[in-house]
Amino acid sequence: MDLEEARSLLTAERERVERQLTNTRTAQAEEHDAEAETGDIADPAQSLTEQGVDDAVAAALRDRLAALDRALERVDNGDFGRSIRSGDPIPDARLQADPAAELTVQEAAADEALNG
């Protein structure tokens, strides 16, 4: 994959993830405001569970943004398309599916097996 195509994919994905994170934050604020206004007898555990899910979604989106930023740095440094671990090339098909991929499929599978 050429570097301009990579930059374009990464930039578009970054913008999409930023929108999702903004929407998540807005929804969290609206839910919090609505809970404060209702004053009805709501199950507090449900609110805490929803907040936990929202926080986990926001954390995952922030992690994705960090991965995209690292990939953009690799584009700038000329290291894009190579495993950060071994330096082996990452196939274009994998980069098309996930332009922020840092490992080859085999390395990622080995990590998954270890971390289960």
Side-chain angles (χ1 to χ4, degrees), residues 90-106:
I90 299 172
D92 282 354
R94 177 160 171 75
L95 294 171
Q96 287 286 342
D98 180 7
E102 296 180 322
L103 303 172
T104 65
V105 171
Q106 295 82 5

Side-chain angles (χ1 to χ4, degrees), residues 26-41:
T26 300
Q28 283 178 311
E30 289 172 357
E31 288 171 8
H32 180 49
D33 291 347
E35 287 172 7
E37 288 178 7
T38 59
D40 64 346
I41 304 172

Side-chain angles (χ1 to χ4, degrees), residues 33-54:
D33 291 347
E35 287 172 7
E37 288 178 7
T38 59
D40 64 346
I41 304 172
D43 181 2
Q46 182 178 0
S47 173
L48 290 174
T49 300
E50 289 171 359
Q51 181 181 352
V53 170
D54 290 344

